[in-house]
Amino acid sequence: MKTSSQNHSVEKDSFEKPILTVDVAYLSIRGGELEILTIKRDKAPHEGELALPGGYVHCDEDEDLSETARRVIAEKTQLEPDYIEQVETIASRSRDPRGWTATVLFMALVSDSKRGEDDKLGKDCQWVALGGLKRKSLAFDHGELLSKVKERLVAKSRYTSIPLYLLPKEFTLSEAQKYFEITTQSTLEKKSFRRRLLDADIIEETGEQTKTGKRKAALYRNKNDSNVHFFPRMIG
Amino acid sequence: MKTSSQNHSVEKDSFEKPILTVDVAYLSIRGGELEILTIKRDKAPHEGELALPGGYVHCDEDEDLSETARRVIAEKTQLEPDYIEQVETIASRSRDPRGWTATVLFMALVSDSKRGEDDKLGKDCQWVALGGLKRKSLAFDHGELLSKVKERLVAKSRYTSIPLYLLPKEFTLSEAQKYFEITTQSTLEKKSFRRRLLDADIIEETGEQTKTGKRKAALYRNKNDSNVHFFPRMIG
DNA sequence: ACTTATAAGTGGCAGTGTGCCACTATTTGC
DNA sequence: GCAAATAGTGGCACACTGCCACTTATAAGT
């Protein structure tokens, strides 16, 4: 029923090769809100608009795709992500005016403390709060890509520990809860959250306490050896 | 620190475009075991070896990647899958002797009843039991691709209803349990399994019963409207 | 007919982790 | 000292899975 060629000429040479790129949604939390690293495009198409950092796969340099993703980020910032994950590959004829393109979409997270001040960022780079991004304000279909990444982040934050990668090196349980509430887009219950995080054996007390605030709070850090933790049940 | 070019020549034209393909791990259960659809390669490289069905993306025909996946399957079989899911995109210089290639890997499932008899399959196509596949017996890195798909199937079978796509149109709860035990690679407890599946409200009794066997068993079928169900907890 | 073996199906309680809410504890500012 | 705000705890309810013994139905053998 399909209108495809039934012979096996699929593997014949000189096919029109599609364009293959990698795009990275690089996320961080600051000011109590998710922010994303954007690049202001300096050429057509979509010149002057904001876009996700991305680029062509370099067949001669990149051993695999996650390396492309890291390279693309390194070209724009000096910030190595604390976490990176391949999300999905999106392709179509219409998503880029230059022709049929495929892009491998990555989600990357960087902690608040590693991110530090944003002064050494190139001036075409900018962290933008997600709340301030109007729909359709990103170039190409990058708004949709961002939605896919957000969806993945929200989903995984409900049953894994990946929001820990967004927290500063030392944090209180209340701050951790706030970060998880941002990434899960829900309000969490204090006792349940604390019990869950502490029972998981993935963070440890530093011994120090906060100095500001109404009452001193215990400071925690991620255990060195800990990878992504999968909780036995979802939260929220 | 990276040795990447620091200028922004990334978007300049005439880059060496990598090859983009789609490969599909098409799975089915028969004889109490997972089977995979293989194609015997009729040309180099790896001529004569078994491989996953796959092919180049056709920029002119395929609107997106899942369409490529369906087309690739339709070219080899007349069997439309009951379920299809993008798993991961794998790329490297070394995975194919013809050069730097990227492949978008899909997992597809077909029910035992829709699959029917295998007589109308092309003679280069063959369903092969996973247990009978020695390591390294698939062309290229398709053994690794299969491992990734297996991993995904095992994981998702523990908290979703996708094994239902492998069952025949009508099935007993014991058969369903057997299928879930195959896909989760674990033994499941009868009462827990039944309660879980029935409470999910995704299957319904046909009213009929089996005729063979020691005791007649109630027959069930998938509810028409039901999509993939996510159970609140993992099993097994 | 009675027994035996086997598969289908159920009752019921324990275990585990989350939801919920009230309660106590500590610190700051008045 | 007292109120306000944040940190942290006690304890039980709830939902779902694990477990295991038990009953029911059918076929086959004696």
Side-chain angles (χ1 to χ4, degrees), chain B residues 64-78:
Chain B
D64 60 22
L65 292 170
S66 74
E67 212 167 280
T68 308
R70 289 175 202 282
R71 175 177 57 73
V72 158
I73 288 181
E75 281 172 1
K76 297 295 182 182
T77 80
Q78 259 58 44

Side-chain angles (χ1 to χ4, degrees), chain B residues 128-141:
Chain B
V128 178
L130 289 199
L133 268 182
K134 318 282 183 223
R135 204 167 304 271
K136 281 290 181 191
S137 68
L138 288 179
F140 304 107
D141 59 349

Side-chain angles (χ1 to χ4, degrees), chain A residues 62-131:
Chain A
D62 304 333
E63 199 52 48
D64 60 23
L65 292 170
S66 74
E67 212 166 280
T68 307
R70 288 175 201 283
R71 176 178 56 75
V72 158
I73 289 180
E75 281 172 1
K76 297 295 183 182
T77 81
Q78 260 57 46
L79 284 176
E80 293 214 1
D82 292 290
Y83 177 78
I84 192 162
E85 165 180 339
Q86 187 184 316
V87 174
E88 192 184 337
T89 300
I90 294 96
S92 80
R93 194 192 336 279
S94 51
R95 57 179 298 276
D96 188 314
R98 287 166 292 187
W100 211 100
T101 58
T103 193
V104 184
L105 175 62
F106 281 81
M107 169 172 78
L109 307 178
V110 67
S111 74
D112 199 4
S113 26
K114 186 185 283 186
R115 177 176 155 192
E117 295 307 314
D118 295 339
D119 41 16
K120 35 188 184 297
L121 235 55
K123 55 179 169 297
D124 55 338
C125 299
Q126 193 186 353
W127 288 96
V128 178
L130 290 199

Side-chain angles (χ1 to χ4, degrees), chain A residues 20-22 55-60 62 64-65 68 71 104, chain B residues 15-16 18 100:
Chain A
L20 181 63
T21 62
V22 166
Y56 291 65
V57 170
H58 289 196
C59 297
D60 47 346
D62 304 333
D64 60 23
L65 292 170
T68 307
R71 176 178 56 75
V104 184
Chain B
F15 240 100
E16 187 202 343
W100 212 99

Side-chain angles (χ1 to χ4, degrees), chain A residues 40-234:
Chain A
K40 179 170 268 181
R41 286 185 58 79
D42 60 351
K43 52 172 74 72
H46 296 280
E47 181 174 350
E49 293 184 42
L50 298 182
L52 303 189
Y56 291 65
V57 170
H58 289 196
C59 297
D60 47 346
E61 299 180 35
D62 304 333
E63 199 52 48
D64 60 23
L65 292 170
S66 74
E67 212 166 280
T68 307
R70 288 175 201 283
R71 176 178 56 75
V72 158
I73 289 180
E75 281 172 1
K76 297 295 183 182
T77 81
Q78 260 57 46
L79 284 176
E80 293 214 1
D82 292 290
Y83 177 78
I84 192 162
E85 165 180 339
Q86 187 184 316
V87 174
E88 192 184 337
T89 300
I90 294 96
S92 80
R93 194 192 336 279
S94 51
R95 57 179 298 276
D96 188 314
R98 287 166 292 187
W100 211 100
T101 58
T103 193
V104 184
L105 175 62
F106 281 81
M107 169 172 78
L109 307 178
V110 67
S111 74
D112 199 4
S113 26
K114 186 185 283 186
R115 177 176 155 192
E117 295 307 314
D118 295 339
D119 41 16
K120 35 188 184 297
L121 235 55
K123 55 179 169 297
D124 55 338
C125 299
Q126 193 186 353
W127 288 96
V128 178
L130 290 199
L133 269 182
K134 317 283 184 219
R135 205 168 305 271
K136 282 289 180 191
S137 68
L138 287 179
F140 305 107
D141 59 349
H142 288 190
E144 290 167 44
L145 303 191
L146 175 56
S147 290
K148 285 177 191 288
V149 168
K150 259 164 56 184
E151 201 176 319
R152 172 72 64 96
L153 177 63
V154 170
K156 279 199 126 169
S157 295
R158 295 186 60 205
Y159 63 95
T160 76
S161 64
I162 59 172
L164 291 182
Y165 291 112
L166 294 164
L167 281 158
K169 273 200 297 293
E170 302 199 345
F171 53 87
T172 67
L173 291 181
S174 297
E175 286 168 341
Q177 181 176 342
K178 194 172 62 183
Y179 274 59
F180 273 81
E181 287 177 336
I182 291 168
T183 56
T184 60
Q185 296 191 328
S186 65
T187 61
L188 301 176
E189 206 282 325
K190 184 169 51 170
K191 184 65 188 303
S192 308
F193 176 78
R194 283 162 184 252
R195 186 178 39 204
R196 178 177 151 104
L197 198 53
L198 291 173
D199 289 356
D201 195 42
I202 50 181
I203 61 174
E204 61 190 2
E205 285 195 75
T206 67
E208 305 293 308
Q209 290 192 317
T210 53
K211 287 148 200 163
T212 75
K214 290 297 180 183
R215 173 177 169 177
K216 289 171 184 162
L219 283 169
Y220 291 81
R221 61 171 160 251
N222 295 327
K223 286 198 176 178
N224 298 352
D225 56 343
S226 72
N227 276 322
V228 177
H229 177 78
F230 285 76
F231 295 99
R233 303 191 199 169
M234 288 195 184

Side-chain angles (χ1 to χ4, degrees), chain A residues 39-40 42-43 75-76 122 124-125, chain B residues 5-12:
Chain A
I39 312 288
K40 179 170 268 181
D42 60 351
K43 52 172 74 72
E75 281 172 1
K76 297 295 183 182
D124 55 338
C125 299
Chain B
S5 55
Q6 279 304 101
N7 58 15
H8 286 192
S9 65
V10 186
E11 308 223 359
K12 113 175 114 194

Side-chain angles (χ1 to χ4, degrees), chain B residues 189 191-192 195-196 213-216 232-233 235-236:
Chain B
E189 205 282 326
K191 184 66 188 303
S192 308
R195 187 177 39 204
R196 177 177 151 103
K214 290 297 180 185
R215 174 178 169 177
K216 289 170 186 164
R233 301 189 200 170
I235 202 174

